Amino acid sequence: MVDEQIIPRGITDTRVLDAMATVPRHLFVEDAMAANAYGDFPLPIGSGQTISQPYIVALMTQALQLKGDERVLEIGTGSGYQAAVLSRICEKVYTVERIDGLLGKARRIFDKLRYHNIISRIDDGTTGWEDEAPFDAIIVTAGGPYIPQPLLDQLADPGRMIIPVGEHGYQELKLVVKEDGEVKTFTVEYVRFVDLIGTHGW
Ligand code: SAH
C-alpha cells in the first residue's frame, strides 16, 4: 500500500509512511472487506460511513506536519484508522464520534493494539473538545459547509488544521495555518467525504 499508492503520489514524511506501514488497516474494516483493506479506495464501515482511501489519510496526516509531541483533535473517529495512524506520530489523540456503535468498535481495536494514547468520546465534534483545548493540530474527517468557529478557537498558535469544506459529497480539502495571531487558509485537494452533521455542520 505504502510503496504502490502513497510514495508514488508524493507523500515524503517518513513518520507518516512508517505509521501507515505499521498500523494494521485490515482490523479497522468489516471482516467481509478485510481482503480489500489495503486497496486504493475508501470502504464502507457500517452506519452509512466510510474509512478514507489510504492516500487521503496520508495526505491529511502529512499536512499536519507532526513531530511527535503534539496533542491532536480528530472529529469523526469512524473506524478509528485515522486516529490509529495519528497515535503513532504524536503524543496524544483526542477523537470525537457521533455514532455510538462506530466508536464502540474503534475502542475495542485501540485496546487490542494497546494504542493507549487515544482518548475518545461521543459528542457533536463541530463544537470541539473545549476542556482539552488548545490543540496543536485538528483533523476533521467529514465534510461540512464551513469551518466551525469553535475548532478555529480551539486551535493552538502555532497550529494546523485540515478539514474538507463544501457541498454534500464534494469538498475542497482546506489546510488552516494559525501563526503569530494570523490565520491563513489553503486548498490542498478536492475530496469526497461523508457529511459532517452537527451544530456547525449540516
Ligand atoms: N476518520 C475515519 C473516517 C470517518 S467517516 C476513519 O479513519 O475511519 C466520518 C465520520 O464522521 C463518521 O463516522 C461520522 O459518523 C462522523 N461524524 C459526522 N459528523 C460528526 C460530528 N459532528 N461529530 C463527530 N463525528 C461526526
Side-chain angles (χ1 to χ4, degrees):
M1 178 184 84
V2 170
D3 289 344
E4 290 174 14
Q5 302 166 32
I6 296 181
I7 294 173
R9 290 199 182 101
I11 302 296
T12 53
D13 185 333
T14 53
R15 291 167 183 277
V16 177
L17 298 174
D18 289 349
M20 292 193 63
T22 305
V23 175
R25 183 169 160 99
H26 60 277
L27 296 184
F28 294 86
V29 304
E30 282 165 11
D31 289 345
M33 304 279 175
N36 289 319
Y38 296 88
D40 193 11
F41 35 73
L43 283 172
I45 54 173
S47 308
Q49 309 302 321
T50 53
I51 177 173
S52 304
Q53 178 190 9
Y55 166 65
I56 295 296
V57 173
L59 183 71
M60 292 177 79
T61 309
Q62 175 169 272
L64 299 177
Q65 295 188 353
L66 301 172
K67 298 287 175 263
D69 59 354
E70 296 87 354
R71 298 166 67 252
V72 180
L73 174 66
E74 180 194 29
I75 310 305
T77 315
S79 69
Y81 178 68
Q82 173 73 71
V85 170
L86 289 165
S87 77
R88 303 302 84 202
I89 53 183
C90 72
E91 190 181 299
K92 218 164 192 179
V93 181
Y94 297 81
T95 183
V96 184
E97 173 56 54
R98 57 183 289 277
I99 300 175
D100 253 320
L102 289 176
L103 191 61
K105 271 194 239 170
R107 277 181 175 158
R108 282 195 286 280
I109 307 168
F110 300 152
D111 284 347
K112 179 174 171 169
L113 292 171
R114 303 210 173 96
Y115 290 175
H116 297 310
N117 62 338
I118 305 174
I119 301 177
S120 60
R121 74 166 183 188
I122 287 290
D123 200 5
D124 170 9
T126 66
T127 60
W129 192 323
E130 194 154 16
D131 295 349
E132 295 292 349
F135 299 95
D136 304 300
I138 299 178
I139 177 168
V140 182
T141 63
Y146 57 89
I147 302 173
Q149 186 63 41
L151 300 184
L152 284 170
D153 295 342
Q154 293 175 29
L155 185 62
D157 184 347
R160 297 168 80 87
M161 168 160 48
I162 188 96
I163 175 169
V165 178
E167 306 297 323
H168 297 286
Y170 181 75
Q171 304 94 17
E172 293 187 2
L173 187 58
K174 302 272 191 197
L175 172 65
V176 179
V177 180
K178 197 191 261 192
E179 205 166 17
D180 300 327
E182 255 186 83
V183 174
K184 291 188 185 138
T185 304
F186 308 88
T187 298
V188 176
E189 183 60 277
Y190 295 88
V191 290
R192 289 175 188 280
F193 275 87
V194 298
D195 284 352
L196 179 69
I197 296 167
T199 309
H200 300 276
W202 295 109

